[in-house]
Amino acid sequence: VVLQSFGARYFLSPMCLLGRSRMNALESHLEIDEGLYSRQIYVLGYDAMQRMTGSSVLVSGMKGVGVETAKNIILAGVKSVTVHDQGDAQWSDLSSQFFLSEGDVGQNRAVVSQRHLAELNSYVPVVAYTEELSEKFLSAFQVVVLTNSSLEEQLRISDFCHANNICFILADTKGLPPSCPSGPWFMASSVFLPLQGCPGVVTIACEEKQEHFENGGMVTFSRVEGMTELNNSEPQPVCVLDYYSTFPQLMLPLPLQVDADRLLELAQDLAGWQAPLDEELVRAFAAVSAGDLSPINAVIGAMAAQEVLKAASGKFTPLDQWFYFDAWECLPEQEHSVPLSEQDCAPRGSRYDGQIAVFGADFQERLGQQKYFVVGAGAIGCELLKNFGMIGLAAGKGGRITVTDMDTIERSNLNRQFLFRPQDVSKQKSEVAAAAVRHMNPYTNVTAHQDCLGPDTEQLYGDNFFLGLDGVATALDNPQARVYVGERCVQYLKPLLDSGTEGTKGHVQVFVPFLTESYGHAMDLAEKTYPLCTLRHFPTAIQHTLQWARDQFEGLFKKSAENVNTFVPREALEKLELVHSSLQEKPLSWGECVAWARRLWEQLFRNDIQQLLYNFPPDHVRHSPSYRKSGSSPSPLFPLPLDTHMAFILAASRLFAQTHRLQVSGDEVAARQVLLVLCLPPFQPCQGLHIPTTDQELKETSDTVGKESTMGHRPLPSLSALLGTGLTPLSLCPSKGDDNSNFHLNFIVAASNLRAENYGIPTADWLQSKRIVGRIVPAIATTTAAVAGLVCLELYKLVWGHKDLGSYRQSFLRLAEPMFIFSFSVSLPHSQFCQKTWTCWDRIEVPGVTGSGEEMTLGDLRDHLQKEHGLALRMLLYREAVLYAAFWSSEKLKEQLANR
């Protein structure tokens, strides 16, 4: 894969893929840490993760794209990463290299970066290397990523990788720097103007006769102003174009007008056999080529890292041919702004010089004054805050970033929320993220909150707060919360940057007041539910059996315990029937817990199924719509010493003991002894039992399957014993925490798979079951980083104040395919009312006081709408409350209209 980037223009293309035989040889059988990698395993799978642990990766070049690529690879969990750079940190690096600080200027970039990168993942050793890349050294890697390298280095290393079946990726954000072949060379002392190009063109600007350059000759540079990195560089080969111009093999980015003119001339010469030339695009290309933008680096670094993971894991489709990406629409709109001058974009010795070279110093000052609200400090939130710190958002006078997240850091977050470290587990996400951003850019003004944004916190996040904002960026995984934030942005006329990911899929949307549509409605975001009859009697998919198993868990170990706890201290004895079953089943030993679990197994997976078959014989398939959906009739299970059977017995026994606060050993050997001597009565069908086949029938009748007294009971305890009884309700939270040893999920997985065996449904492993039950969203760091970079490109446009709908983009990406869709934002829908065109952003502003300065009553509001806007008030609502209705009685209207 080859990745090249020129300012705001980037290219990506494959050159060599890791051979399949070599991939197989690299497969590892190391245990994968599910507590850390759980969300990523849902994306890649166990096999791909194990193959990844056999790949050593080299990332050469620790500037913006290099560190982004290395960060994402390390978080993913390859075998090892070596970071290489022979250069020292410069001020210009600080615009996008988030692991470099002002105090690191002058130190080796690889050495400084290694210290920070090594903290990201304890399973991935990170080594810094500062010597020249020899073939012997390169042979130790399975994947090599090159950034900011010379043309000679690119060709040499790519040839070696190709010959040795090593995956090679080129990610170069500075074009093609000088190469150094052997041959004659000499010093050129003439004054020259370097020109952006590929290869670059140097024009001699002196009245005296120029040096006698010859094709193949070598030149070096000194006393260059504006591009001091060229001074004292290694000799470069040249090709003479004309009397004044030479053609060296290097990229010379400098936003000079003469450069743009000359580049246009060259492009016109080349375009003779191609499509018509876009002259403005060529000039813009020359103007931004000296730029170094953190959001662009985030996008390209994420893409390059994903290609590394594809090569290392053998998972997903590698990129085919060249990938082209530009973001010209981030530049100022010509019809709404003054064109940038050379002086606007000149270096200022600032950490933002790479961004100033593209957008100018005034824009940088405007960025520093922004006030933004970031909702969520998880995976996307961390990447957003990092990018905000790099671009200088809210880093100036009056600027402010407020980030809120009520969650604390869990170990599973460390795999993709890269601002957090192991020592931060259990700390507040927003606090740690804000501190990390302040460390990256000490000038960033960021405040951390721990509030859940919603109706309950509107006193805190009310008028004063929202009216003082310039925009809102959401980093939420809760659709309902995003809808609420969208409504608040409409209410206060604030732009909203929304983004989300699911595995290798991601999206970015921007909502601009009076220009685009608003965020979607809650009715479109309802969670999927299943018919109750399908869950209870006619499942057809593993999702059905898992939901059924979760319902069993809730009923057996949570609701029954809550019923006992709410009854015993307070209720009258005659209502004891509500908790009759739970109290009769109270165990006294581990053996009784095992016996109870065995009877439960018999009831759920044999008796209930036999009762169902008694009611609906196998030939009933032809007549029952529910059976026709399931495809076949169920079969009862036979008790066998199988792992799945025993897993259910042990999990159910332990949970039953926990619920009844019984301290037991949970010994499997003792459990098997109980099972050997336990005798259960044969199944007897229940005559006349009606089993509903539709949800409507279920509402009208009571389903008693599974509620017959086959579980076994004992006499009720005395009243004095009851008053001292208490049960422990068990709560299932599969999406939170890393404790997999409490047997909650073990019970659900075992019960679901046994139920699936009843109905001939393919079973699911433990991890897949956890994802479905917990509604866990798969996640990987590469997608998160790409999405956050795209968000910041839209942020640029908001800060410019772009007024053209065509400037804004909705982005949808699938890094696995790979597929990228960039479309225009959806235009604003309109409606007609009272001879006026209205949108969701329109409103009628009413002063809160009357002309005399008194607080306005409801009657004053009615009169104001009639007099000033010609509107007759028929009904006034606030959310679900009716404040006024014209059809009310005169007495009620009189009372209501006097209210303030």
Side-chain angles (χ1 to χ4, degrees):
V1 179
V2 175
L3 174 67
Q4 292 180 311
S5 58
F6 306 91
R9 185 173 289 207
Y10 294 79
F11 306 89
L12 189 59
S13 168
M15 286 187 63
C16 174
L17 294 177
L18 199 58
R20 181 57 50 197
S21 59
R22 187 179 182 88
M23 285 292 305
N24 293 336
L26 294 173
E27 289 188 13
S28 169
H29 299 286
L30 297 175
E31 284 293 326
I32 303 299
D33 188 339
E34 293 180 9
L36 179 65
Y37 294 117
S38 59
R39 296 292 185 96
Q40 184 174 289
I41 294 174
Y42 296 138
V43 180
L44 298 176
Y46 273 108
D47 292 342
M49 284 289 297
Q50 288 181 335
R51 286 194 292 269
M52 265 181 18
T53 60
S55 294
S56 296
V57 181
L58 169 67
V59 181
S60 178
M62 280 293 103
K63 292 189 177 182
V65 167
V67 74
E68 284 279 1
T69 305
K71 176 256 293 181
N72 295 326
I73 296 170
I74 293 167
L75 289 173
V78 296
K79 180 180 180 180
S80 67
V81 172
T82 299
V83 293
H84 168 260
D85 201 312
Q86 292 182 280
D88 294 336
Q90 307 293 326
W91 271 97
S92 58
D93 298 332
L94 303 185
S95 62
S96 62
Q97 222 286 20
F98 45 84
F99 282 149
L100 295 180
S101 63
E102 297 177 6
D104 297 322
V105 173
Q107 300 182 48
N108 181 272
R109 281 187 290 260
V111 173
V112 175
S113 300
Q114 183 274 337
R115 294 198 295 264
H116 299 282
L117 291 169
E119 297 176 346
L120 295 177
N121 192 338
S122 60
Y123 290 105
V124 182
V126 182
V127 178
Y129 186 72
T130 61
E131 303 298 324
E132 185 178 351
L133 297 176
S134 65
E135 293 185 354
K136 181 180 179 181
F137 182 76
L138 291 170
S139 63
F141 301 97
Q142 285 73 52
V143 184
V144 172
V145 183
L146 241 60
T147 72
N148 306 107
S149 54
S150 69
L151 176 60
E152 180 189 43
E153 194 80 340
Q154 295 165 14
L155 295 175
R156 179 179 69 86
I157 294 178
S158 64
D159 288 345
F160 176 82
C161 291
H162 180 75
N164 290 272
N165 206 21
I166 298 173
C167 181
F168 173 75
I169 297 175
L170 173 63
D172 198 334
T173 61
K174 290 297 183 183
L176 303 176
S179 59
C180 307
S182 58
W185 62 275
F186 61 90
M187 299 288 294
S189 58
S190 304
V191 179
F192 66 92
L193 296 176
L195 171 67
Q196 163 67 46
C198 182
V201 174
V202 175
T203 302
I204 307 301
C206 63
E207 296 181 354
E208 299 179 4
K209 184 179 179 179
Q210 73 170 71
E211 304 286 352
H212 295 284
F213 295 107
E214 296 179 358
N215 290 340
M218 306 292 290
V219 298
T220 189
F221 303 98
S222 63
R223 300 173 63 187
V224 178
E225 297 180 3
M227 287 194 64
T228 56
E229 61 267 26
L230 292 177
N231 294 329
N232 302 318
S233 61
E234 295 295 326
Q236 318 301 326
V238 298
C239 174
V240 178
L241 299 179
D242 54 37
Y243 188 79
Y244 291 101
S245 301
T246 60
F247 193 78
Q249 298 178 356
L250 70 160
M251 178 71 73
L252 301 171
L254 194 63
L256 300 176
Q257 184 61 41
V258 64
D259 296 350
D261 294 339
R262 180 57 179 148
L263 180 62
L264 182 59
E265 292 178 14
L266 293 172
Q268 288 171 338
D269 292 340
L270 294 173
W273 51 274
Q274 297 176 344
L277 185 66
D278 187 339
E279 296 187 3
E280 291 302 319
L281 188 65
V282 175
R283 291 183 180 278
F285 179 82
V288 304
S289 292
D292 186 15
L293 303 180
S294 178
I296 290 286
N297 289 336
V299 174
I300 301 304
M303 293 170 56
Q306 186 66 55
E307 296 305 310
V308 171
L309 300 186
K310 291 176 184 179
S313 67
K315 183 84 172 186
F316 303 133
T317 305
L319 197 64
D320 185 22
Q321 297 300 319
W322 290 79
F323 173 81
Y324 172 82
F325 171 77
D326 69 49
W328 298 117
E329 70 278 359
C330 291
L331 294 173
E333 294 175 330
Q334 294 182 358
E335 61 271 27
H336 301 299
S337 60
V338 178
L340 295 173
S341 67
E342 179 183 336
Q343 184 177 1
D344 294 332
C345 301
R348 283 159 168 74
S350 162
R351 66 179 296 135
Y352 310 115
D353 276 350
Q355 188 165 259
I356 291 173
V358 179
F359 299 126
D362 290 343
F363 179 80
Q364 188 62 52
E365 184 177 356
R366 195 184 306 180
L367 271 173
Q369 297 170 352
Q370 294 292 299
K371 301 176 183 65
Y372 258 78
F373 186 27
V374 179
V375 188
I380 295 178
C382 284
E383 292 286 346
L384 284 177
L385 290 170
K386 176 261 294 179
N387 291 340
F388 288 171
M390 290 295 97
I391 68 176
L393 187 77
K397 184 178 180 181
R400 182 185 74 248
I401 296 173
T402 303
V403 55
T404 186
D405 196 311
M406 63 185 298
D407 287 345
T408 57
I409 299 168
E410 299 174 1
R411 186 166 176 271
S412 61
N413 301 147
L414 305 180
N415 172 239
R416 63 200 180 280
Q417 301 175 19
F418 90 106
L419 295 183
F420 307 145
R421 302 293 179 266
Q423 62 269 24
D424 298 324
V425 171
S426 299
K427 297 180 182 178
Q428 291 290 335
K429 286 186 176 181
S430 59
E431 291 284 357
V432 176
V437 172
R438 283 192 291 266
H439 180 76
M440 290 178 176
N441 185 350
Y443 304 103
T444 303
N445 301 309
V446 56
T447 303
H449 292 182
Q450 292 81 46
D451 306 295
C452 177
L453 194 63
D456 294 339
T457 56
E458 288 184 2
Q459 186 174 4
L460 177 61
Y461 303 109
D463 294 350
N464 293 336
F465 179 82
F466 271 94
L467 291 174
L469 295 175
D470 292 300
V472 178
T474 55
L476 296 165
D477 56 6
N478 184 320
Q480 285 70 35
R482 290 156 83 170
V483 169
Y484 175 81
V485 175
E487 292 173 349
R488 299 291 275 176
C489 288
V490 171
Q491 179 179 350
Y492 292 102
L493 300 179
K494 300 302 176 183
L496 172 64
L497 293 162
D498 178 73
S499 58
T501 68
E502 181 180 352
T504 60
K505 297 183 292 185
H507 80 270
V508 174
Q509 292 177 285
V510 56
F511 303 96
V512 186
F514 303 107
L515 191 61
T516 71
E517 65 175 356
S518 63
Y519 193 80
H521 300 291
M523 65 183 67
D524 300 325
L525 302 168
E527 293 184 359
K528 184 175 182 180
T529 59
Y530 304 107
L532 290 178
C533 276
T534 298
L535 297 180
R536 292 194 180 188
H537 307 303
F538 311 108
T540 61
I542 196 66
Q543 288 83 355
H544 300 157
T545 64
L546 281 167
Q547 184 60 51
W548 172 87
R550 179 169 186 161
D551 293 342
Q552 291 293 325
F553 177 94
E554 297 281 342
L556 292 167
F557 308 118
K558 185 173 187 284
K559 293 179 182 178
S560 60
E562 290 174 343
N563 289 338
V564 171
N565 291 346
T566 54
F567 163 77
V568 171
R570 295 181 293 275
E571 301 296 332
L573 190 60
E574 58 267 19
K575 294 184 178 181
L576 188 59
E577 290 298 325
L578 295 173
V579 293
H580 182 278
S581 176
S582 296
L583 292 171
Q584 282 188 319
E585 295 166 355
K586 183 175 179 62
L588 302 176
S589 66
W590 170 241
E592 292 187 2
C593 292
V594 173
W596 175 88
R598 175 62 182 86
R599 290 193 295 270
L600 179 65
W601 186 99
E602 188 79 7
Q603 184 67 38
L604 296 177
F605 307 114
R606 280 190 59 79
N607 295 351
D608 284 355
I609 301 300
Q610 292 182 86
Q611 181 68 52
L612 191 64
L613 291 172
Y614 178 82
N615 282 47
F616 303 120
D619 60 358
H620 191 81
V621 174
R622 295 191 303 271
H623 310 290
S624 170
S626 300
Y627 264 135
R628 284 200 294 270
K629 290 180 181 178
S630 63
S632 62
S633 60
S635 301
L637 300 183
F638 291 91
L640 297 171
L642 301 177
D643 290 342
T644 52
H645 295 209
M646 199 63 196
F648 176 87
I649 297 294
L650 291 175
S653 301
R654 286 163 174 151
L655 296 179
F656 192 59
Q658 290 177 30
T659 304
H660 287 272
R661 303 176 183 176
L662 182 64
Q663 299 296 324
V664 294
S665 63
D667 181 60
E668 181 176 348
V669 175
R672 291 183 181 275
Q673 292 297 322
V674 173
L675 296 176
L676 287 175
V677 299
L678 183 65
C679 294
L680 299 179
F683 168 74
Q684 295 294 329
C686 182
Q687 304 291 333
L689 177 65
H690 175 68
I691 298 179
T693 57
T694 66
D695 280 7
Q696 183 62 34
E697 282 188 64
L698 198 61
K699 294 178 181 178
E700 298 172 354
T701 60
S702 175
D703 179 8
T704 58
V705 172
K707 297 179 182 176
E708 298 301 310
S709 57
T710 59
M711 298 291 292
H713 300 296
R714 61 166 61 89
L716 289 176
S718 64
L719 179 60
S720 60
L722 286 177
L723 295 177
T725 299
L727 302 184
T728 301
L730 304 182
S731 297
L732 180 70
C733 297
S735 62
K736 296 289 184 182
D738 301 318
D739 182 13
N740 297 325
S741 61
N742 57 18
F743 298 99
H744 295 189
L745 206 61
N746 298 57
F747 172 85
I748 290 179
V749 174
S752 171
N753 285 337
L754 289 171
R755 179 81 163 175
E757 290 182 29
N758 280 136
Y759 286 86
I761 299 171
T763 60
D765 62 25
W766 194 92
L767 197 67
Q768 181 186 4
S769 300
K770 180 179 179 180
R771 179 182 66 81
I772 296 173
V773 172
R775 300 179 179 90
I776 299 173
V777 179
I780 192 169
T782 49
T783 314
T784 302
V787 161
L790 292 171
V791 168
C792 289
L793 294 179
E794 299 306 310
L795 173 67
Y796 283 148
K797 304 166 192 177
L798 293 175
V799 176
W800 276 119
H802 283 188
K803 303 183 186 323
D804 185 359
L805 180 65
S807 295
Y808 295 95
R809 297 288 184 271
Q810 293 189 91
S811 303
F812 303 92
L813 56 117
R814 294 186 177 184
L815 296 182
E817 273 78 356
M819 182 178 71
F820 307 88
I821 299 175
F822 303 102
S823 62
F824 295 142
S825 293
V826 179
S827 59
L828 187 60
H830 298 77
S831 60
Q832 293 291 327
F833 177 70
C834 294
Q835 299 180 342
K836 181 181 176 181
T837 300
W838 295 82
T839 73
C840 62
W841 300 99
D842 290 310
R843 74 274 321 283
I844 297 174
E845 295 188 0
V846 180
V849 295
T850 62
S852 59
E854 296 182 356
E855 186 177 355
M856 185 177 284
T857 65
L858 187 58
D860 295 330
L861 173 61
R862 181 191 61 179
D863 296 340
H864 177 87
L865 293 176
Q866 177 67 47
K867 180 179 179 181
E868 300 296 333
H869 302 281
L871 297 176
L873 185 61
R874 300 299 182 191
M875 183 175 289
L876 182 63
L877 305 176
Y878 179 73
R879 293 182 176 164
E880 299 178 357
V882 180
L883 303 182
Y884 172 87
F887 55 79
W888 283 348
S889 65
S890 57
E891 182 178 346
K892 185 173 183 180
L893 280 174
K894 182 178 180 181
E895 176 185 355
Q896 196 74 2
L897 290 173
N899 290 335
R900 299 187 184 277

